[in-house]
Amino acid sequence: MTTWVINLLGVVAIALIIWWFWLSRPKAQRAQLDRPIEIIVDDGVYTPARIEVPLGRPVTLRFIRKDASPCAEKVLFDDFNISGDLPVGRPYDISFIPDKPGEHAFTCQMRMYRGSLVVQP
Ligand SMILES: [Cu+2]
């Protein structure tokens, strides 16, 4: 009986982990083009973690890092060859023109912080 309960708890924990890392779809924040999009970096998550921007228009993403742990210090946009070193407690802007439609991940260097930039044609 006890083994059965422990097994069940294990399965639930695994399901939660899968949901958290792969299945959860945070609400998208739509870009206001004339001002920076603020992204808070804290507690292992980017807030917002899903950002929609139009294709081919300049955007500025303003990262505000509150998490002092080294895990949070870099942000990488692999698909755009962009990276940034985020200072703690001071806004850091990344400006660029998203020129590839689709969904592009942005992460910390260890890929624990995960966000998604949705570029809409
Ligand atoms: Cu990290």
Side-chain angles (χ1 to χ4, degrees), residues 42-118:
D42 199 15
D43 279 340
V45 287
Y46 295 121
T47 310
R50 189 175 165 88
I51 295 150
E52 291 176 1
V53 295
L55 179 68
R57 309 268 290 275
V59 292
T60 298
L61 305 176
R62 175 164 292 166
F63 286 87
I64 299 169
R65 175 183 168 199
K66 296 184 173 173
D67 180 355
S69 77
C71 178
E73 78 189 353
K74 278 188 189 297
V75 64
L76 310 171
F77 290 79
D78 283 343
D79 292 350
F80 298 99
N81 286 317
I82 292 171
S83 70
D85 292 294
L86 309 179
V88 179
R90 220 156 16 92
Y92 181 90
D93 287 356
I94 293 179
S95 298
F96 66 108
I97 297 175
D99 55 0
K100 297 173 190 138
E103 191 161 336
H104 305 281
F106 59 98
T107 63
C108 70
Q109 70 274 27
M110 303 149 202
R111 297 175 199 286
M112 298 181 70
Y113 276 91
R114 302 163 67 90
S116 166
L117 186 76
V118 182

